Amino acid sequence: QVQLVESGGGLVHAGGSLRLSCAASGRTFSMYTMGWFRQAPGKEREFVAAITWNGNSYYEDSVKGRFTISRDNANYTTYLQMNGLKPEDTAVYYCASDLTGYGSRWTVVGPWGQGTQVTVSS
């Protein structure tokens, strides 16, 4: 089974940028749709972005134009480039494997990573 390890979170001022990485084990990585979700304190976990095995990407409305999801199948890694960060982007960000769905509605079938904290100060 694929195991996921996120990195790249941290503290940044509003307007700044961060790049999250999700390293996956398992040779079947390239077959799966990968995704990023986030959970802010007191809120439910929500979809952020997804990328299919062939590079089609989908985003939650509030991050469109600011966040970019990408993947490197040769190195089993998924990325989330976050620009123009806002305080409301503060959350624990989770990588997930093997998503099914479309648009902004996705279900995670595979494993989750442990999460990485992103904090945006105003």
Side-chain angles (χ1 to χ4, degrees):
Q1 187 178 22
V2 174
Q3 293 181 319
L4 306 174
V5 178
E6 300 101 331
S7 61
L11 172 65
V12 64
H13 291 298
S17 298
L18 284 173
R19 188 193 197 201
L20 305 184
S21 299
C22 172
S25 63
R27 292 176 292 176
T28 56
F29 169 83
S30 62
M31 298 170 54
Y32 298 134
T33 295
M34 302 294 295
W36 288 94
F37 292 72
R38 66 186 179 187
Q39 187 167 18
K43 296 186 177 181
E44 294 186 352
R45 192 172 298 187
E46 65 174 4
F47 168 76
V48 175
I51 186 166
T52 63
W53 66 273
N54 60 347
N56 293 321
S57 57
Y58 303 88
Y59 298 94
E60 191 268 331
D61 286 346
S62 70
V63 307
K64 286 180 181 177
R66 300 189 297 123
F67 290 10
T68 302
I69 189 171
S70 61
R71 65 191 297 163
D72 180 348
N73 287 339
N75 290 298
Y76 309 140
T77 304
T78 306
Y79 302 98
L80 186 68
Q81 177 67 44
M82 304 185 295
N83 299 327
L85 282 161
K86 304 175 180 180
E88 51 264 43
D89 295 318
T90 295
V92 177
Y93 282 70
Y94 296 91
C95 177
S97 171
D98 195 6
L99 278 61
T100 63
Y102 188 80
S104 62
R105 300 178 66 85
W106 295 89
T107 299
V108 177
V109 178
W112 295 86
Q114 83 288 353
T116 184
Q117 176 70 45
V118 171
T119 303
V120 185
S121 63
S122 58

PDB file of all heavy atoms in Angstrom, residues 109-121:
ATOM      1  N   VAL A 109      -9.940   7.149  -1.498  1.00  0.00           N
ATOM      2  CA  VAL A 109     -10.000   5.696  -1.346  1.00  0.00           C
ATOM      3  C   VAL A 109      -8.725   5.173  -0.678  1.00  0.00           C
ATOM      4  O   VAL A 109      -8.776   4.239   0.120  1.00  0.00           O
ATOM      5  CB  VAL A 109     -10.189   5.019  -2.716  1.00  0.00           C
ATOM      6  CG1 VAL A 109     -10.209   3.502  -2.573  1.00  0.00           C
ATOM      7  CG2 VAL A 109     -11.463   5.521  -3.385  1.00  0.00           C
ATOM      8  N   GLY A 110      -7.612   5.780  -0.973  1.00  0.00           N
ATOM      9  CA  GLY A 110      -6.328   5.309  -0.474  1.00  0.00           C
ATOM     10  C   GLY A 110      -5.926   5.969   0.827  1.00  0.00           C
ATOM     11  O   GLY A 110      -6.749   6.581   1.515  1.00  0.00           O
ATOM     12  N   PRO A 111      -4.667   5.889   1.180  1.00  0.00           N
ATOM     13  CA  PRO A 111      -4.181   6.396   2.451  1.00  0.00           C
ATOM     14  C   PRO A 111      -3.998   7.921   2.477  1.00  0.00           C
ATOM     15  O   PRO A 111      -3.942   8.568   1.419  1.00  0.00           O
ATOM     16  CB  PRO A 111      -2.833   5.699   2.623  1.00  0.00           C
ATOM     17  CG  PRO A 111      -2.366   5.464   1.233  1.00  0.00           C
ATOM     18  CD  PRO A 111      -3.607   5.162   0.439  1.00  0.00           C
ATOM     19  N   TRP A 112      -3.918   8.445   3.679  1.00  0.00           N
ATOM     20  CA  TRP A 112      -3.622   9.854   3.933  1.00  0.00           C
ATOM     21  C   TRP A 112      -2.207   9.979   4.481  1.00  0.00           C
ATOM     22  O   TRP A 112      -1.688   9.064   5.123  1.00  0.00           O
ATOM     23  CB  TRP A 112      -4.576  10.426   4.975  1.00  0.00           C
ATOM     24  CG  TRP A 112      -6.006  10.485   4.575  1.00  0.00           C
ATOM     25  CD1 TRP A 112      -6.921   9.488   4.691  1.00  0.00           C
ATOM     26  CD2 TRP A 112      -6.705  11.609   4.043  1.00  0.00           C
ATOM     27  NE1 TRP A 112      -8.157   9.925   4.254  1.00  0.00           N
ATOM     28  CE2 TRP A 112      -8.050  11.226   3.848  1.00  0.00           C
ATOM     29  CE3 TRP A 112      -6.333  12.912   3.713  1.00  0.00           C
ATOM     30  CZ2 TRP A 112      -9.019  12.097   3.328  1.00  0.00           C
ATOM     31  CZ3 TRP A 112      -7.297  13.771   3.195  1.00  0.00           C
ATOM     32  CH2 TRP A 112      -8.609  13.358   3.013  1.00  0.00           C
ATOM     33  N   GLY A 113      -1.633  11.149   4.266  1.00  0.00           N
ATOM     34  CA  GLY A 113      -0.401  11.464   4.955  1.00  0.00           C
ATOM     35  C   GLY A 113      -0.697  11.950   6.362  1.00  0.00           C
ATOM     36  O   GLY A 113      -1.850  12.052   6.776  1.00  0.00           O
ATOM     37  N   GLN A 114       0.367  12.281   7.088  1.00  0.00           N
ATOM     38  CA  GLN A 114       0.198  12.689   8.481  1.00  0.00           C
ATOM     39  C   GLN A 114      -0.152  14.165   8.620  1.00  0.00           C
ATOM     40  O   GLN A 114      -0.554  14.606   9.703  1.00  0.00           O
ATOM     41  CB  GLN A 114       1.483  12.382   9.272  1.00  0.00           C
ATOM     42  CG  GLN A 114       2.586  13.434   9.162  1.00  0.00           C
ATOM     43  CD  GLN A 114       3.284  13.453   7.805  1.00  0.00           C
ATOM     44  OE1 GLN A 114       3.056  12.605   6.956  1.00  0.00           O
ATOM     45  NE2 GLN A 114       4.157  14.438   7.612  1.00  0.00           N
ATOM     46  N   GLY A 115       0.007  14.936   7.569  1.00  0.00           N
ATOM     47  CA  GLY A 115      -0.329  16.353   7.586  1.00  0.00           C
ATOM     48  C   GLY A 115       0.863  17.241   7.858  1.00  0.00           C
ATOM     49  O   GLY A 115       1.817  16.841   8.531  1.00  0.00           O
ATOM     50  N   THR A 116       0.791  18.463   7.338  1.00  0.00           N
ATOM     51  CA  THR A 116       1.821  19.462   7.595  1.00  0.00           C
ATOM     52  C   THR A 116       1.128  20.803   7.858  1.00  0.00           C
ATOM     53  O   THR A 116       0.192  21.168   7.150  1.00  0.00           O
ATOM     54  CB  THR A 116       2.821  19.557   6.420  1.00  0.00           C
ATOM     55  OG1 THR A 116       3.871  20.468   6.751  1.00  0.00           O
ATOM     56  CG2 THR A 116       2.158  20.021   5.133  1.00  0.00           C
ATOM     57  N   GLN A 117       1.579  21.512   8.884  1.00  0.00           N
ATOM     58  CA  GLN A 117       0.924  22.742   9.313  1.00  0.00           C
ATOM     59  C   GLN A 117       1.355  23.912   8.434  1.00  0.00           C
ATOM     60  O   GLN A 117       2.555  24.131   8.209  1.00  0.00           O
ATOM     61  CB  GLN A 117       1.267  23.056  10.766  1.00  0.00           C
ATOM     62  CG  GLN A 117       0.703  24.364  11.287  1.00  0.00           C
ATOM     63  CD  GLN A 117      -0.807  24.328  11.457  1.00  0.00           C
ATOM     64  OE1 GLN A 117      -1.351  23.362  11.996  1.00  0.00           O
ATOM     65  NE2 GLN A 117      -1.501  25.366  10.990  1.00  0.00           N
ATOM     66  N   VAL A 118       0.374  24.662   7.967  1.00  0.00           N
ATOM     67  CA  VAL A 118       0.609  25.918   7.257  1.00  0.00           C
ATOM     68  C   VAL A 118      -0.059  27.036   8.051  1.00  0.00           C
ATOM     69  O   VAL A 118      -1.266  26.963   8.328  1.00  0.00           O
ATOM     70  CB  VAL A 118       0.050  25.872   5.827  1.00  0.00           C
ATOM     71  CG1 VAL A 118       0.113  27.251   5.173  1.00  0.00           C
ATOM     72  CG2 VAL A 118       0.811  24.853   4.994  1.00  0.00           C
ATOM     73  N   THR A 119       0.714  28.031   8.433  1.00  0.00           N
ATOM     74  CA  THR A 119       0.190  29.161   9.183  1.00  0.00           C
ATOM     75  C   THR A 119       0.516  30.448   8.442  1.00  0.00           C
ATOM     76  O   THR A 119       1.678  30.699   8.112  1.00  0.00           O
ATOM     77  CB  THR A 119       0.784  29.220  10.598  1.00  0.00           C
ATOM     78  OG1 THR A 119       0.511  27.976  11.273  1.00  0.00           O
ATOM     79  CG2 THR A 119       0.168  30.358  11.398  1.00  0.00           C
ATOM     80  N   VAL A 120      -0.524  31.242   8.164  1.00  0.00           N
ATOM     81  CA  VAL A 120      -0.358  32.500   7.441  1.00  0.00           C
ATOM     82  C   VAL A 120      -0.733  33.639   8.379  1.00  0.00           C
ATOM     83  O   VAL A 120      -1.876  33.717   8.833  1.00  0.00           O
ATOM     84  CB  VAL A 120      -1.221  32.531   6.175  1.00  0.00           C
ATOM     85  CG1 VAL A 120      -0.940  33.808   5.384  1.00  0.00           C
ATOM     86  CG2 VAL A 120      -0.975  31.303   5.317  1.00  0.00           C
ATOM     87  N   SER A 121       0.227  34.492   8.656  1.00  0.00           N
ATOM     88  CA  SER A 121      -0.026  35.610   9.558  1.00  0.00           C
ATOM     89  C   SER A 121      -0.460  36.839   8.758  1.00  0.00           C
ATOM     90  O   SER A 121      -0.043  37.036   7.615  1.00  0.00           O
ATOM     91  CB  SER A 121       1.230  35.933  10.360  1.00  0.00           C
ATOM     92  OG  SER A 121       2.274  36.340   9.496  1.00  0.00           O
TER      93      SER A 121
END
